[in-house]
Amino acid sequence: MGFNRKFLFSIVLLVVAVPLMGNAFVWNVGDAAGWSGQAQFDYDNWAGRRTFLVGDDSLRLVYDPNTTNVMEVSYCDFKSCNPSSPLATYNTGNDTVPIPLF
Ligand SMILES: *[C@@H]1O[C@H](CO)[C@@H](O)[C@H](O)[C@H]1NC(C)=O
Ligand SMILES: *[C@@H]1O[C@H](CO)[C@@H](O)[C@H](O)[C@H]1NC(C)=O
């Protein structure tokens, strides 16, 4: 599918490493709203109220795959809004993505 027919939505997560292992949690991004990209859902606020275990937790992104895909990009590409060399692309509409240790 061409990128021109898709929307790239990104959130910046403030990730906090805490010394707790073996407690992997799958976070449903946006809770019931899912990864809709709808302007009325405040993903910054959603992320800011949670503590993510880097290298342990995962993010589940639920969205309409007919209109949306998800790309994992480097911080540089995120800042410059460059989708041409994603680290990963997801398009099933229900993807669980680990939060990697960098
Ligand atoms: C995506 O498109 C297919 C084919 O038109 C349709 O059957 C399906 O219901 C659509 N999915 C959503 C979530 O709208
Ligand atoms: C997404 O996938 C997970 C794991 O397979 C499943 O438990 C969940 O019900 C699915 N959610 C939706 C909205 O399809």
Side-chain angles (χ1 to χ4, degrees):
M1 297 205 184
F3 178 75
N4 59 333
R5 295 196 295 118
K6 300 283 191 174
F7 293 96
L8 172 66
F9 297 113
S10 298
I11 53 174
V12 177
L13 298 177
L14 178 64
V15 289
V16 181
V18 299
L20 265 176
M21 297 303 282
N23 246 343
F25 194 82
V26 178
W27 298 95
N28 289 303
V29 175
D31 298 326
W35 186 235
S36 63
Q38 290 167 13
Q40 63 265 30
F41 193 88
D42 187 345
Y43 291 99
D44 285 344
N45 182 269
W46 179 89
R49 288 183 288 108
R50 286 162 176 81
T51 301
F52 301 95
L53 299 189
V54 176
D56 217 10
D57 286 357
S58 299
L59 301 175
R60 179 176 294 141
L61 298 134
V62 175
Y63 53 90
D64 177 0
N66 293 335
T67 58
T68 304
N69 67 1
V70 174
M71 287 179 175
E72 181 179 350
V73 297
S74 70
Y75 182 70
C76 264
D77 284 349
F78 173 76
K79 292 299 280 183
S80 59
C81 199
N82 173 16
S84 64
S85 53
L87 303 172
T89 302
Y90 304 92
N91 52 29
T92 71
N94 182 355
D95 298 301
T96 300
V97 181
I99 305 174
L101 281 172
F102 293 99

